[in-house]
Amino acid sequence: MSPVAPPRLSLPELAQQLRVDAVRCAAAAGSGHPTSSMSAAELAAVLLAHHLRYGVARPDHPANDVFLLSKGHASPLLYAMLRAVGAISEEELLTFRQPGSRLEGHPTPRLPWVPVATGSLGQGLPIGVGLALTGASLDHLPYRVWVMCGDSELSEGSMWEAFAHAGHAGLDRLTAIIDVNRLGQRGPTRLEWDTGAYARRIGAFGWDVIEIDGHDIDEVDAAYRAAVEVTGAPTAILARTVKGRGAPAIEDRNGYHGKPVPHPDEVVAHLGGVRDLRVPLIPPDSDAVPYRFPTGEAELPTWQVGEKVATRDAFGDALAALGTVRGDLVVLDGEVSDSTRTGRFQEAHPERFFEFYIAEQQMVAAAVGMQVRGWRPYVATFAAFLTRAHDFVRMASISRADLRVAGSHAGVSIGPDGPSQMGLEDLAMFRALHGSTVLHPCDANQTAALVSATLDVPGISYLRTMRGATPVIYPPGEVFPLGGSRVLRASSEDRVTLVGTGVTVHEALAAADRLAADGIAARVIDLYSLKPVDAATLREAARQTVAVVTVEDHRPEGGLGDAVLDALAATGPVPRVHKLAVRDLPASADPAGQRRAAGIDADAIVAAAREVAAG
Amino acid sequence: MSPVAPPRLSLPELAQQLRVDAVRCAAAAGSGHPTSSMSAAELAAVLLAHHLRYGVARPDHPANDVFLLSKGHASPLLYAMLRAVGAISEEELLTFRQPGSRLEGHPTPRLPWVPVATGSLGQGLPIGVGLALTGASLDHLPYRVWVMCGDSELSEGSMWEAFAHAGHAGLDRLTAIIDVNRLGQRGPTRLEWDTGAYARRIGAFGWDVIEIDGHDIDEVDAAYRAAVEVTGAPTAILARTVKGRGAPAIEDRNGYHGKPVPHPDEVVAHLGGVRDLRVPLIPPDSDAVPYRFPTGEAELPTWQVGEKVATRDAFGDALAALGTVRGDLVVLDGEVSDSTRTGRFQEAHPERFFEFYIAEQQMVAAAVGMQVRGWRPYVATFAAFLTRAHDFVRMASISRADLRVAGSHAGVSIGPDGPSQMGLEDLAMFRALHGSTVLHPCDANQTAALVSATLDVPGISYLRTMRGATPVIYPPGEVFPLGGSRVLRASSEDRVTLVGTGVTVHEALAAADRLAADGIAARVIDLYSLKPVDAATLREAARQTVAVVTVEDHRPEGGLGDAVLDALAATGPVPRVHKLAVRDLPASADPAGQRRAAGIDADAIVAAAREVAAG
């Protein structure tokens, strides 16, 4: 694809070309971050010319090195790099930030050479850790992972989760290129050009560290060569650079973050004008084939109707069985595998189980990295603690990542541990993500079926599991389509509809029995799929009964009740809907006591149903 | 309050009493974390007897030292400590985890000696940083802040945000007591007993570090004395301890996390039985009076109707003015003060402005610490990046913290920066928090009024601001009650109701003009208060028009549309509601183009209104 390179590609010239193109595309857009791009021009030029192994024509090549721009706002640099390697044209470069352009304000995978979206700082390096783990432990291929970071983002705790994980795992294929340009958005960074302080910190986490002048081509080249040679440890290259380098009027000056360079034509002229250098990248090893784990046969576990089983147990057992059949399934834990039951997968498939200790951001980021290479990650922790990784799942949805997340210990039903451990906002968090699927099974067989179903769902899928045992109500082998529901009680006499999910399905069934004894027939719907939602079944119930009671072990906002109201409002007249949810702040109590106190137990449902049925 | 102590309080005996009480209360509860309590018994005993300055009878004393149990699951230790200092009785100790008890599974401020809820790991130390900053820079009082941490939680990135901030700020009043008991929930921690590795890491962040045997009373005492003497740096005491210490059958054994000790009576007997030692704490300086910043007079800024002003500008100007009147107002930034406009407060009140660089978790945690001592923090960053601190605001709501949060750069209307920078899930996130207030003003005068109103709101209040300018539509001086709304267009002919918030109020007004030209009278409601919601006004509109169109620059889940549906469903028959929201993944475009592409502009409203009005 690439034309033959000039015999001696001038790296200083290439660096100037990258600067010129960054200046030009931001000027054309009228916005963007050229100054944060210009500081890293030599770092980028040397990487492209001498070190990155990558087939531009085959961005999906399994042996390609990975390049991540953790400092995603420096997208003009990335787009300049893509022009220099022949991936995009001069014309496309100048579409930066225009409607319809693939060259978005911050990089996204609309461009095939961009594996993940960046732009929320502190995420590229943790995702790079996931890709380095993938190469070393899953793909078994020798590709390297190069992550270009800013200095400002070293303030994010997630970066230190990454340093801790990569240092301990000895991920020597990982190189963090840290562009220490001293200036953040609104002023100097905390440590400015004190690369020694960064080096001591990162070094203490088990990394090899190299301090260089980031504008000295030879120092940059030597640092990359050294990074490739280091074994047993990742490398951080701490490059002192100048923000806006190449535009003398604004070099190292505050107030020029995130805006086009003033007088761009003069700056381009000062930089030597527009160039058209083309860099032939070192190609990846063309014979490389990713490792595939052996698979075998296994049946999903089953339970008999009437058994009492926690859905977290069913989740763990199903995951272990699916791991036998699906060699691409990998599981990530945040130091709670005994609680979420992913420990059962670990026992069965230790090579595909990854422990991240209590670092939920790094855990989710690593999963995002793994799915880039086609692995199917399942991430699990307490539903409550997934809030810790909210920004990471948000960005994963922008990356169009295929990611499975399980949150255990749903709601007040966990009992005496108290509100800090209760997942009460998780449905709201996951439903609001673009393109997400949100599931909350109520029994063990349904859980196993849904775990299996999520393996092939695109986008972010969320499965909510429960700590305590619930009775098995579905026989083994039934099918639960995503976007479906189950009508558990129905008759032509139904006066009221009760909609539950998870534990509240059982409360609704108990309530229906008591209402029946009072002569009030109640339809009961198990709305196990919160997104997408089975609007047709809800609509039918709305036509056939006078009112709907929704009941959820979750806050009133963003969960089951809102999903039902939304579906009803979108499809026709809305009947009377009475929403039961956790409105107060729970304290310690046993599970049944918690549901009673929250007003989401059978008593509360009966009372609400009587009221609405009376019309 | 405390009886006179025995002439020589035996610290080993006190430590055993703490163990015995931890074992007893967990045994009575049938759950809890006694083993994680037993490892820290000497650390706690020495602190109480020799170092903590605290008036048990006056938990609100301004000069009290602060003790935070960052490892909140070790609540049995905390409750044993409270019994030892006479704060709670023997009887209350044994109510641990019972319904109605103040002694919850994880500590919460239901107990007056507990300043903040803990139990989501990695939060106590960052909150302690906030309290240490408060003492040094706001209260100007010499109290110390002691934070007892677990070793597992050192995996959380938020801890390293805290180490970075405290080290750089030289918070020498802060001591982290790290109980390195080697075992996490499901097995050994990453570094087990390698306190040297921890020491190198924490030391590299500018902390003084001391490694000790955490069961050696003299070493513990010497470490605390040394910590008090250090100036210019915080101190971390890395204490090697044994999980379950004092119960030989399970000491340092995996599998005994988070459950009562087996054979508790035998263990209590082995520990020497129940004791009734009482520790007289060193009292705080009784004359201490917190510093108060001088105040002056200032008017809220005003703008003339028709001016075009960004609500983020109004927010910054209002904040600066309010800072003059309210000496207790403090502002915290995550390195975006030029974008959120909190820089204007910084210029006016530099002593009450705190920069946290790009560390949103530490920023929110510090605010939680500051409000413990009665300061009124306003935290601000991009709405999108508040997702990074979701678990911190979640825990703040459990702490019943009074906290003001502003999120700028709402929605697709930011323009070309792309989805990573767009706050599109923030309303869902903040609405689902217990006891929250959620506001989204549409013009400058309304913004200033609402900023002022939030200063005295209990709980978490969230104010959403916009990047781009919108026309001023409200004259200066109008009042906007929380939970209110404004009807901007209304007549007896109204056929359809348009409900907007923020920028979509202006789109709704434009749509109403065009609909009027077509002979369709539309009511327009500015629903600036998303929680609580003005159900009465919505209900009236539902009675007087045939249908409602909601329009929001936010995802369809959890925002304005859901708030309207919820309010209507709760108060009577629900009319036809058509919800306009951001359903696809945006790319780069100008603000108007973004709203057009998302289907939330005047065109889309007109189309939806025509359809439902025809209904």
Side-chain angles (χ1 to χ4, degrees):
Chain A
M1 284 288 285
S2 303
V4 175
R8 281 189 207 87
L9 178 69
S10 162
L11 292 183
E13 283 291 298
L14 176 59
Q16 295 299 67
Q17 171 173 319
L18 298 177
R19 287 194 172 94
V20 165
D21 285 358
V23 168
R24 287 197 299 155
C25 72
S31 68
H33 293 257
T35 58
S36 300
S37 300
M38 296 165 89
S39 57
E42 282 80 13
L43 294 168
V46 177
L47 183 69
L48 291 182
H50 291 176
H51 299 279
L52 190 74
R53 296 176 174 270
Y54 196 96
V56 173
R58 283 201 54 194
D60 61 343
H61 195 293
N64 276 346
D65 278 359
V66 176
F67 176 74
L68 298 177
L69 186 66
S70 194
K71 50 178 287 186
H73 56 288
S75 56
L77 175 66
L78 179 68
Y79 304 144
M81 292 165 74
L82 289 176
R83 184 172 92 88
V85 302
I88 65 170
S89 68
E90 164 89 7
E91 292 66 41
E92 186 166 11
L93 176 73
L94 298 176
T95 66
F96 177 50
R97 289 176 168 242
Q98 299 304 320
S101 172
R102 299 188 294 177
L103 278 52
E104 297 192 45
H106 293 76
T108 78
R110 278 179 206 219
L111 283 166
W113 308 276
V114 174
V116 295
T118 53
S120 180
L121 289 170
Q123 301 211 12
L125 189 64
I127 292 170
V129 169
L131 276 154
L133 285 168
T134 304
S137 303
L138 296 172
D139 283 343
H140 299 182
L141 287 176
Y143 56 77
R144 296 190 61 81
V145 179
W146 308 86
V147 185
M148 185 174 283
C149 307
D151 48 350
S152 276
E153 66 180 325
L154 293 174
S155 296
E156 284 287 9
S158 56
M159 296 294 276
W160 299 91
E161 295 182 9
F163 287 126
H165 196 95
H168 194 73
L171 296 175
D172 48 21
R173 66 181 61 220
L174 176 64
T175 304
I177 307 163
I178 304 174
D179 178 21
V180 186
N181 67 21
R182 196 189 72 82
L183 288 173
Q185 172 171 327
R186 47 125 286 288
T189 60
R190 187 182 268 140
L191 295 175
E192 305 206 24
W193 272 320
D194 187 357
T195 54
Y198 289 126
R200 284 190 297 280
R201 293 175 187 195
I202 299 169
F205 281 80
W207 287 53
D208 203 72
V209 289
I210 306 173
E211 295 173 65
I212 60 168
D213 172 349
H215 298 306
D216 183 314
I217 296 274
D218 293 334
E219 286 195 30
V220 173
D221 198 42
Y224 290 155
R225 269 186 282 114
V228 171
E229 279 156 26
V230 170
T231 56
T235 301
I237 297 171
L238 291 152
R240 281 181 308 280
T241 63
V242 175
K243 196 163 176 173
R245 170 79 160 202
I250 60 170
E251 277 185 2
D252 192 35
R253 281 185 58 193
N254 202 20
Y256 292 94
H257 178 94
K259 52 185 73 161
V261 171
H263 312 297
D265 293 341
E266 289 171 29
V267 172
V268 168
H270 173 79
L271 288 165
V274 175
R275 293 164 182 79
D276 199 21
L277 299 175
R278 188 66 63 87
V279 194
L281 295 178
I282 307 167
D285 173 3
S286 62
D287 298 331
V289 176
Y291 180 73
R292 291 292 173 249
F293 289 88
T295 56
E297 296 196 359
E299 298 288 323
L300 272 183
T302 59
W303 293 268
Q304 295 310 307
V305 170
E307 276 188 80
K308 292 194 109 187
V309 184
T311 55
R312 61 173 170 155
D313 284 312
F315 165 72
D317 291 341
L319 210 55
L322 289 163
T324 302
V325 184
R326 299 289 290 255
D328 55 355
L329 179 58
V330 296
V331 172
L332 297 86
D333 174 42
E335 236 277 71
V336 287
S337 56
D338 53 338
S339 289
T340 60
R341 309 305 200 214
T342 58
R344 298 178 190 177
F345 182 94
Q346 179 182 21
E347 280 166 34
H349 314 287
E351 298 157 300
R352 284 181 277 141
F353 179 87
F354 295 86
E355 180 57 68
F356 289 88
Y357 300 92
I358 310 181
E360 295 83 4
Q361 297 181 101
Q362 173 61 76
M363 173 177 66
V364 170
V368 172
M370 290 172 179
Q371 63 83 41
V372 165
R373 295 274 165 162
W375 299 89
R376 288 174 200 274
Y378 232 117
V379 159
T381 183
F382 283 34
F385 304 145
L386 288 167
T387 54
R388 202 64 156 257
H390 188 168
D391 196 27
F392 285 74
V393 291
R394 181 183 76 87
M395 287 298 296
S397 77
I398 297 172
S399 291
R400 294 122 170 116
D402 295 334
L403 185 66
R404 288 135 216 98
V405 182
S408 70
H409 292 64
V412 300
S413 297
I414 65 166
D417 265 340
S420 64
Q421 318 294 303
M422 295 171 176
L424 284 168
E425 299 91 0
D426 54 323
L427 297 177
M429 172 178 149
F430 280 96
R431 283 185 66 247
L433 294 175
H434 177 253
S436 61
T437 300
V438 179
L439 306 167
H440 187 22
C442 72
D443 92 347
N445 288 322
Q446 188 181 43
T447 302
L450 290 175
V451 174
S452 177
T454 55
L455 294 195
D456 295 302
V457 178
I460 315 288
S461 63
Y462 177 59
L463 184 94
R464 187 186 209 218
T465 68
M466 294 180 287
R467 180 180 187 280
T470 48
V472 175
I473 59 172
Y474 296 110
E478 301 213 349
V479 175
F480 297 94
L482 305 186
S485 70
R486 278 303 184 92
V487 179
L488 294 171
R489 300 280 167 83
S491 79
S492 58
E493 311 296 308
D494 288 343
R495 181 141 182 89
V496 63
T497 301
L498 312 179
V499 187
T501 189
V503 73
T504 59
V505 170
H506 304 282
E507 299 286 352
L509 287 169
D513 288 344
R514 288 167 46 191
L515 289 164
D518 287 359
I520 301 174
R523 182 163 306 187
V524 178
I525 298 175
D526 168 13
L527 202 72
Y528 62 82
S529 181
L530 281 305
K531 185 181 173 188
V533 130
D534 182 358
T537 297
L538 293 168
R539 167 58 43 209
E540 193 183 353
R543 275 197 294 113
Q544 297 174 357
T545 63
V546 301
V548 175
V549 176
T550 66
V551 53
E552 63 197 300
D553 195 352
H554 184 269
R555 294 266 170 234
E557 299 89 0
L560 171 77
D562 281 359
V564 169
L565 275 171
D566 182 72
L568 291 173
T571 54
V574 179
R576 181 147 185 213
V577 176
H578 189 109
K579 217 161 130 180
L580 299 176
V582 181
R583 294 178 188 274
D584 290 329
L585 195 56
S588 287
D590 64 279
Q594 293 279 17
R595 288 193 292 274
R596 187 167 54 248
I600 59 166
D601 66 349
D603 285 354
I605 300 169
V606 166
R610 279 195 186 124
E611 189 198 322
V612 296
Chain B
M1 284 287 286
S2 304
V4 174
R8 282 192 206 87
L9 179 68
S10 162
L11 292 183
E13 282 292 301
L14 177 59
Q16 294 299 68
Q17 169 173 318
L18 297 177
R19 286 193 173 93
V20 165
D21 285 359
V23 167
R24 289 197 297 154
C25 72
S31 68
H33 292 258
T35 58
S36 301
S37 300
M38 296 164 89
S39 57
E42 282 81 13
L43 294 167
V46 177
L47 182 69
L48 290 182
H50 291 176
H51 299 279
L52 190 74
R53 296 175 175 271
Y54 196 96
V56 173
R58 282 201 55 195
D60 61 343
H61 196 292
N64 277 346
D65 278 359
V66 176
F67 175 74
L68 298 177
L69 187 67
S70 193
K71 50 177 288 187
H73 56 288
S75 56
L77 174 67
L78 179 68
Y79 303 145
M81 292 165 75
L82 289 176
R83 184 172 91 88
V85 301
I88 66 169
S89 68
E90 165 90 7
E91 292 67 39
E92 186 166 11
L93 176 73
L94 298 176
T95 67
F96 178 49
R97 289 178 167 242
Q98 300 303 321
S101 172
R102 300 188 294 178
L103 278 51
E104 297 192 45
H106 294 75
T108 77
R110 278 179 208 221
L111 283 166
W113 307 278
V114 174
V116 295
T118 52
S120 180
L121 290 170
Q123 301 211 12
L125 189 64
I127 293 170
V129 169
L131 277 153
L133 284 168
T134 305
S137 303
L138 296 172
D139 283 343
H140 299 180
L141 287 176
Y143 55 79
R144 296 190 60 81
V145 180
W146 308 86
V147 185
M148 184 173 284
C149 308
D151 47 350
S152 275
E153 65 179 326
L154 292 175
S155 296
E156 285 286 8
S158 56
M159 297 294 276
W160 299 91
E161 295 182 7
F163 287 127
H165 197 96
H168 194 74
L171 295 176
D172 49 21
R173 66 181 61 219
L174 176 64
T175 304
I177 307 164
I178 304 174
D179 177 22
V180 186
N181 67 19
R182 195 187 73 81
L183 289 172
Q185 172 171 326
R186 46 126 288 288
T189 60
R190 186 182 269 140
L191 295 176
E192 304 205 26
W193 273 321
D194 186 357
T195 53
Y198 289 126
R200 284 189 297 279
R201 293 175 186 195
I202 300 169
F205 281 82
W207 286 53
D208 203 72
V209 288
I210 306 173
E211 295 173 64
I212 59 167
D213 172 350
H215 298 306
D216 182 314
I217 297 274
D218 292 335
E219 287 194 30
V220 173
D221 199 41
Y224 289 155
R225 269 186 282 113
V228 171
E229 279 157 25
V230 170
T231 56
T235 301
I237 298 170
L238 290 152
R240 280 180 309 279
T241 64
V242 174
K243 196 161 176 174
R245 171 79 162 203
I250 59 169
E251 277 185 1
D252 192 35
R253 281 186 56 193
N254 202 20
Y256 292 94
H257 178 94
K259 51 185 75 162
V261 170
H263 313 296
D265 293 343
E266 290 171 30
V267 172
V268 168
H270 173 81
L271 289 165
V274 174
R275 293 165 181 78
D276 199 21
L277 299 175
R278 189 63 65 87
V279 194
L281 296 178
I282 307 167
D285 173 4
S286 62
D287 298 331
V289 177
Y291 179 74
R292 292 294 173 247
F293 289 88
T295 55
E297 296 196 0
E299 298 289 323
L300 272 182
T302 58
W303 294 267
Q304 294 311 307
V305 171
E307 275 189 81
K308 292 195 106 185
V309 184
T311 54
R312 62 173 169 154
D313 284 311
F315 165 72
D317 290 340
L319 210 55
L322 289 163
T324 302
V325 184
R326 299 288 290 256
D328 55 355
L329 178 58
V330 296
V331 173
L332 298 85
D333 174 41
E335 235 278 72
V336 287
S337 57
D338 52 339
S339 288
T340 60
R341 309 305 200 214
T342 58
R344 298 177 189 175
F345 182 95
Q346 179 182 21
E347 280 167 34
H349 314 287
E351 298 156 302
R352 284 181 276 141
F353 179 87
F354 295 86
E355 181 57 66
F356 289 89
Y357 300 92
I358 309 181
E360 295 83 3
Q361 298 180 101
Q362 173 61 76
M363 173 177 66
V364 170
V368 171
M370 290 172 179
Q371 62 85 42
V372 165
R373 294 275 165 162
W375 299 89
R376 288 174 200 272
Y378 232 117
V379 159
T381 183
F382 283 35
F385 304 145
L386 288 167
T387 55
R388 202 64 157 257
H390 189 166
D391 196 28
F392 286 74
V393 291
R394 181 183 76 88
M395 287 298 296
S397 77
I398 297 172
S399 291
R400 295 119 169 119
D402 295 335
L403 184 66
R404 289 135 216 99
V405 182
S408 69
H409 293 65
V412 299
S413 297
I414 65 165
D417 265 340
S420 64
Q421 319 293 302
M422 295 171 175
L424 282 168
E425 299 90 358
D426 54 323
L427 297 176
M429 171 179 150
F430 279 96
R431 282 184 66 244
L433 295 175
H434 177 253
S436 61
T437 300
V438 179
L439 306 168
H440 187 23
C442 71
D443 92 346
N445 288 321
Q446 189 182 41
T447 302
L450 290 175
V451 174
S452 177
T454 54
L455 294 195
D456 295 302
V457 178
I460 315 286
S461 64
Y462 177 59
L463 184 93
R464 188 187 209 218
T465 68
M466 295 180 286
R467 179 180 187 279
T470 48
V472 175
I473 60 172
Y474 295 110
E478 300 213 349
V479 175
F480 298 92
L482 305 186
S485 69
R486 276 305 182 93
V487 180
L488 294 171
R489 299 279 167 84
S491 79
S492 58
E493 311 296 309
D494 288 344
R495 180 140 183 90
V496 62
T497 301
L498 313 179
V499 187
T501 189
V503 72
T504 60
V505 170
H506 304 281
E507 299 287 351
L509 287 169
D513 287 344
R514 288 168 44 191
L515 290 164
D518 287 358
I520 301 174
R523 182 164 305 189
V524 177
I525 298 176
D526 168 13
L527 202 74
Y528 62 81
S529 181
L530 282 303
K531 185 181 173 187
V533 131
D534 182 357
T537 297
L538 292 169
R539 168 58 43 209
E540 193 184 355
R543 276 197 295 111
Q544 297 174 357
T545 63
V546 299
V548 176
V549 176
T550 65
V551 53
E552 63 197 301
D553 195 352
H554 185 270
R555 295 266 170 233
E557 299 90 0
L560 170 76
D562 280 359
V564 169
L565 276 170
D566 182 73
L568 291 173
T571 54
V574 179
R576 180 147 184 213
V577 176
H578 189 108
K579 218 162 128 178
L580 300 175
V582 181
R583 295 179 188 273
D584 291 328
L585 195 56
S588 286
D590 63 279
Q594 293 279 18
R595 289 194 292 274
R596 187 168 54 246
I600 58 166
D601 66 349
D603 285 353
I605 300 169
V606 166
R610 279 194 186 127
E611 188 198 321
V612 297

